[in-house]
Amino acid sequence: MTRHQDARRVLRDHEVFTSERGNLLTTLGSDDVASGRMVTVTDPPRHARLRASQINALATGVRDAGGLRMRAAVRALLRPALDGHPWDLAEAAALLPLMALGPVMGLPAADWPELSRLAFSAVAPDDPAYATEDTRTTLTTAHHELFAYFRAALRARHHAPADDLLTRLLPQFGESRRQGIELAVYHCYSLLLGATTTLPHTVSATALVMAENREVIAALRQGPKALAAGIEEALRWSSPAAHVLRHTTRPVEVAGVRIPPGEAVVVWLGSANRDETVFADPYRFRPGRTPNRHLSFGYGPHYCLGAALARTSLTAVFTELTDAIEAMEVCGPVEHLNSHFIAGISRLPVRLTPRRR
Ligand code: HEM
């Protein structure tokens, strides 16, 4: 599905288009083992129960996180680059999700780089920067290591509770301790992957636009309303989650095409976000675009659970970046991530021109 209307048709109807057999192309051909346990690959009504647990645990964290802590972290990240030396913006942006989510979840800062690397191996196992062995082994090893990490962390919280998301996820299921921990492991895994693999790419794709056109920097500096509209355009433009997968449960017709039951259906979000019947001049980054009905966070029952945290983080990043710089230029080769799931940039060397005060 490449059109906005067809994408929405598929994503809102879980009865005909199930997520239970996997929601990413990497799982094609083998049913997802996390089905019924992980929120992304569970259909309603059970999905609502899993989702509510995760939202409750996260909501407290998002309130606590606010934008101020994140803004201070972004300022610290930017500071060394303001002397004008070449700086890999994509490498710095890769740290942002854990700067936002790490303290909320209660993950020690020393573990963030490794967690981020494992998350990328899990979504881009073909990319030379993240492949440890062949695709299948890289993927399995990354899953295994992340699950082992969260299992150990959750067991530790069981014995020594803390004021963090990991602890809040623990006791709410009424299942046995072992089952409760296993469900919480799936929650942690989906939160980590949802955040780490997407957010950095909205930042680097938008930075590339800023490097090409410094008026975009100025436009995002025109107050909270302009910034909010600019962030929605950044989300549409970058569309970091390139696709999501569903399977048909019965025969169905979409846009005049009959699809038999049991077929895989891929929704290409980046394409729907450039549907010219919905977005005028779709291949132009228009900072003030309104309305902006992008599907970057998906649509329907699986609409991104981290959308609020993502928007708070992007607000912090672009507030600080546009406040600190007048312009930026690309000063080396840009490398794109090798993945059909994440549309992203893995290397973006830039030179920043600080703002004169
Ligand atoms: C720019 C940033 C982000 C983008 C583009 C994005 C994109 C998406 C998309 C497209 C989906 C729908 C998947 C489907 O329909 O199968 C989704 C779901 C989800 N996202 Fe995000 N996401 C972002 C940030 C985050 C963050 C920061 C978190 C964690 C705090 C997160 C956690 C999740 C979770 C747990 C789900 C599953 C929700 C469900 O199945 O009910 N995401 N995201």
Side-chain angles (χ1 to χ4, degrees), residues 275-300:
D275 184 332
E276 65 279 11
T277 64
V278 178
F279 305 99
D281 209 358
Y283 290 92
R284 247 188 68 208
F285 188 103
R286 284 191 183 171
R289 188 186 289 278
T290 36
N292 194 336
R293 294 162 57 218
H294 68 77
L295 301 179
S296 293
F297 288 129
Y299 188 74

Side-chain angles (χ1 to χ4, degrees), residues 11 19 23 38-42 47 51 54 58 97 101 187 190-196 198-200 202 235 238-241 243-246 269 295-299 301-307 309-310 313-314:
L11 294 180
S19 295
N23 75 329
M38 190 157 76
V39 65
T40 44
V41 288
T42 302
H47 166 259
R51 192 173 158 100
Q54 221 166 6
L58 192 61
L101 194 61
H187 281 315
S190 56
L191 285 171
L192 179 80
L193 252 71
T196 42
T198 50
L199 197 58
T202 296
L235 286 160
S238 56
S239 302
H243 80 260
V244 288
L245 175 75
R246 301 289 190 262
L269 298 170
L295 301 179
S296 293
F297 288 129
Y299 188 74
H302 291 279
Y303 181 80
C304 178
L305 218 140
L309 185 64
S313 305
L314 292 170

Side-chain angles (χ1 to χ4, degrees), residues 77-90:
L77 201 65
L78 274 175
R79 203 168 298 128
L82 290 173
D83 66 4
H85 74 266
W87 181 63
D88 187 350
L89 190 142

Side-chain angles (χ1 to χ4, degrees), residues 272-345:
N273 280 342
R274 279 165 175 68
D275 184 332
E276 65 279 11
T277 64
V278 178
F279 305 99
D281 209 358
Y283 290 92
R284 247 188 68 208
F285 188 103
R286 284 191 183 171
R289 188 186 289 278
T290 36
N292 194 336
R293 294 162 57 218
H294 68 77
L295 301 179
S296 293
F297 288 129
Y299 188 74
H302 291 279
Y303 181 80
C304 178
L305 218 140
L309 185 64
R311 288 191 169 107
T312 309
S313 305
L314 292 170
T315 305
V317 170
F318 290 120
T319 302
E320 291 303 326
L321 187 63
T322 56
D323 184 58
I325 66 163
E326 201 61 61
M328 75 170 99
E329 60 171 312
V330 176
C331 61
V334 178
E335 280 170 28
H336 289 260
L337 197 66
N338 182 3
S339 162
H340 52 58
F341 169 46
I342 298 295
I345 295 175

Side-chain angles (χ1 to χ4, degrees), residues 9 35 45 65 77 89 112 118 183 185:
R9 158 81 183 90
S35 179
L77 201 65
L89 190 142
W112 297 354
L118 288 170
L183 277 182
V185 168

